[in-house]
Amino acid sequence: MTEGGTKVGIRGIIFDLDGVLVHTDQYHFEAWKRLAGSLGIYFDEAANARLRGVGRMESLEIILERYSGPPLSGQEKCALAEEKNRVYQGLLQTMNPDSVALETVDTLSALKGRGYRLAVGSSSRNAKTILDLTGLGGWFDAVSDGVSITRAKPDPEVFLKAAQLLGLPPGQCAVVEDAASGIEAACAAGMLPVGIGGAAGDGRCRCRLNALPELLTYFQGDTSILYGAALHSPR
Ligand code: BG6
Ligand code: MG
């Protein structure tokens, strides 16, 4: 990418929160499992995998695909989602700075040291709570979350808002994601998609990571080369 004839690479890195910076999946799983159980719905890890990166109400609809009780009104569905969130928030209270891997903090610190502007881009309405409980919030120049957007991923809104808060054009931002919906949102935003975890195998990703510290091998020097062919971390 060029700007006024000068090569411009990535200047901002936007991180998804759940599944990338913190492992809250287990709490989402536990809370949805309890709700599903109360409705007589079978729920397991495979069903939970479909909810990764999916908004709260959309997740509820996926769970209700197996519901065979009397029809539920919109109000009842909202109450169910609130009940799940109440349990989830209770589980989140066990989180603290030790819930974050040391390599995650070291990676954020090194990227900041290299001059990158860092943001969180999460569909979660609990993102700020998680950032506060873990102490991760201090690493970020901007936070774009479920509270500040109207459309969850795969809509690009959350990432476009993050770039705006960073004061950068979308083309100068990379997105680190573990969910297909997030990679889709990053592509739709015109950002450089970086896959980790469940998204590492996604063919749309420019860089594929086995672990977060691998970002440091990609994000150094001239990052304009990242816009070229897809790069893969050696397995
Ligand atoms: C995403 C999670 O980050 O946020 C999803 O991957 C979750 O599992 C979504 O449903 C919404 O989160 P919350 O905390 O607002 O219910
Ligand atoms: Mg995620």
Side-chain angles (χ1 to χ4, degrees):
M1 173 168 290
T2 60
E3 202 175 75
T6 316
K7 258 193 203 169
V8 177
I10 297 298
R11 293 169 62 203
I13 306 177
I14 305 171
F15 291 84
D16 171 51
L17 181 61
D18 295 308
V20 171
L21 297 173
V22 287
H23 297 288
T24 45
D25 287 33
Q26 49 182 331
Y27 303 133
H28 278 297
F29 174 63
E30 182 59 34
W32 282 125
K33 192 171 166 60
R34 276 194 222 176
L35 185 83
S38 74
L39 295 167
I41 299 170
Y42 177 73
F43 187 70
D44 59 8
E45 292 280 1
N48 191 54
R50 283 183 67 201
L51 310 184
R52 189 167 294 126
V54 176
R56 195 183 304 168
M57 290 309 289
E58 293 86 348
S59 297
L60 177 66
E61 290 297 345
I62 291 173
I63 287 170
L64 290 177
E65 285 171 10
R66 289 180 175 170
Y67 175 68
S68 54
L72 296 166
S73 67
Q75 215 176 359
E76 284 168 321
K77 287 182 183 177
C78 286
L80 290 173
E82 271 171 36
E83 173 57 15
K84 179 267 173 179
N85 193 48
R86 198 188 55 73
V87 173
Y88 177 63
Q89 285 181 333
L91 295 168
L92 284 183
Q93 294 310 312
T94 61
M95 294 190 88
N96 59 54
D98 290 337
S99 311
V100 182
L102 202 55
E103 65 177 28
T104 298
V105 174
D106 288 347
T107 303
L108 294 173
S109 169
L111 291 170
K112 265 198 107 61
R114 291 178 187 180
Y116 289 100
R117 292 178 65 70
L118 307 183
V120 168
S122 166
S123 295
S124 173
R125 297 176 73 84
N126 292 297
K128 289 224 167 73
T129 302
I130 295 167
L131 293 172
D132 287 348
L133 285 167
T134 58
L136 269 174
W139 292 105
F140 296 97
D141 303 292
V143 175
S144 171
D145 62 12
V147 177
S148 47
I149 56 164
T150 54
R151 297 177 301 278
K153 301 169 192 174
D155 191 282
E157 183 182 9
V158 72
F159 294 141
L160 291 172
K161 174 99 187 176
Q164 191 187 26
L165 292 170
L166 289 179
L168 294 173
Q172 291 177 18
C173 295
V175 167
V176 187
E177 258 293 348
D178 72 319
S181 61
I183 296 297
E184 194 174 329
C187 295
M191 299 178 181
L192 189 121
V194 178
I196 189 168
D202 192 310
R204 295 168 294 184
C205 294
R206 286 290 172 190
C207 317
R208 301 179 191 184
L209 312 178
N210 301 310
L212 216 55
E214 289 165 19
L215 281 175
L216 300 176
T217 61
Y218 294 120
F219 294 91
Q220 60 179 333
D222 179 11
T223 51
S224 63
I225 56 160
L226 297 177
Y227 296 102
L231 302 162
H232 306 251
S233 288
R235 281 239 168 233

